[in-house]
Amino acid sequence: MLDNKDLIRELKIEGISDKNILRAIEKVPRELFVAQKLIDRAYENIPLPIDCGQTISQPYVVAYMISCLKLKKTDKVLEIGTGTGYQTAILSYLCKEVCTIEIYNKLLDQAKKRILKLNLKNINFILGNGTEGWNAKVLFDAIIVSAASEIIPDKLLKNLKNHGCLIMPKKKSLDIQKLLLIKKSNETYLEKELCSVKFVPLLNDNIE
């Protein structure tokens, strides 16, 4: 069975070189964030199914998306799609504060319990529709969206600080998604297409 060190080795081979990100991943036990029946596969570099028809992302994709944001220890980050809380936990080691939104109550409750076990104190959780963003008056240095959408939600762009970055998968056609990095420069948004990805769709209806 693979362990976290095996995963770190593979991420280095795949081109993840940021030592802070690799250290953060090493501190987060992925087996805590997968279903009991999938624990033997926790450190494989693959996405795995979770409750509510969602997935825990492939570790390489998590690491790559975070690396594109070039986070600083003083940054405040907004995460759309808490999921299991795995990416949330990694982010918490890399910045000052993480605010995370999850649309499924069941997933949010599970994520909170896992984060509690890791004793991470700089995370704020909200149950809600990620396309609505956080409180309109709160601005973030970086925003990471863990689900694909055909449009970039306007309210998320409004949550972005000047010179801040947003990364998200954008749905281009039925089977094609591209990872998009958006940098805010005054009131201009500069978009850069990065690579092909596959994510669950970004939900924009409130779920009971």
Side-chain angles (χ1 to χ4, degrees), residues 121-155:
K121 308 284 193 186
N122 60 339
I123 300 168
N124 300 303
F125 300 90
I126 279 187
L127 176 68
N129 183 341
T131 63
E132 295 293 317
W134 202 261
N135 180 315
K137 292 177 183 174
V138 179
L139 295 177
F140 295 88
D141 301 283
I143 299 174
I144 187 164
V145 184
S146 303
S149 172
E150 289 181 16
I151 58 157
I152 302 151
D154 189 53
K155 287 182 180 176

Side-chain angles (χ1 to χ4, degrees), residues 23-72:
R23 267 196 296 268
I25 290 170
E26 204 164 9
K27 287 176 183 173
V28 179
R30 197 170 184 241
E31 75 267 17
L32 185 63
F33 296 86
V34 303
Q36 190 66 35
K37 64 183 179 184
L38 294 171
I39 276 188
D40 286 354
R41 309 197 70 187
Y43 292 103
E44 292 180 33
N45 188 21
I46 55 171
L48 291 168
I50 62 171
D51 286 337
C52 305
Q54 305 299 295
T55 57
I56 179 173
S57 294
Q58 178 188 0
Y60 170 77
V61 172
V62 172
Y64 177 71
M65 286 176 73
I66 293 172
S67 72
C68 291
L69 295 173
K70 302 192 183 325
L71 297 178
K72 302 185 292 295

